[in-house]
Amino acid sequence: DADGNVWIRTSSPAQQGQGLTFDVINRKGALIDRVRIPAGSSLAGFGPGVAYLIGAAGPPRLTKARIH
């Protein structure tokens, strides 16, 4: 992400009905967070302190979600 962390998807395709889950790892290799993206959304990108999600239902809609 824009803060230097690595996001690793941990959920399997069979679990996607519940949304995607990511482990967030910092530069020291420590797990600092676990993030669940709502079902029907995809991770589109990052900015400083935020993740951008795009919804699959209806017309494409970009949503900004604060991360800490």
Side-chain angles (χ1 to χ4, degrees):
D1 63 19
D3 298 312
N5 301 310
V6 175
W7 288 45
I8 301 169
R9 191 176 96 181
T10 61
S11 56
S12 70
Q15 297 169 316
Q16 287 184 14
Q18 301 171 12
L20 297 175
T21 302
F22 293 84
D23 283 347
V24 182
I25 311 297
N26 69 11
R27 293 174 191 239
K28 296 178 181 178
L31 175 67
I32 59 168
D33 205 353
R34 178 163 284 152
V35 177
R36 181 169 298 210
I37 304 299
S41 295
S42 297
L43 187 59
F46 298 99
V50 297
Y52 294 96
L53 309 175
I54 191 160
R61 181 178 166 164
L62 188 64
T63 304
K64 184 165 108 174
R66 177 161 299 212
I67 54 177
H68 22 89

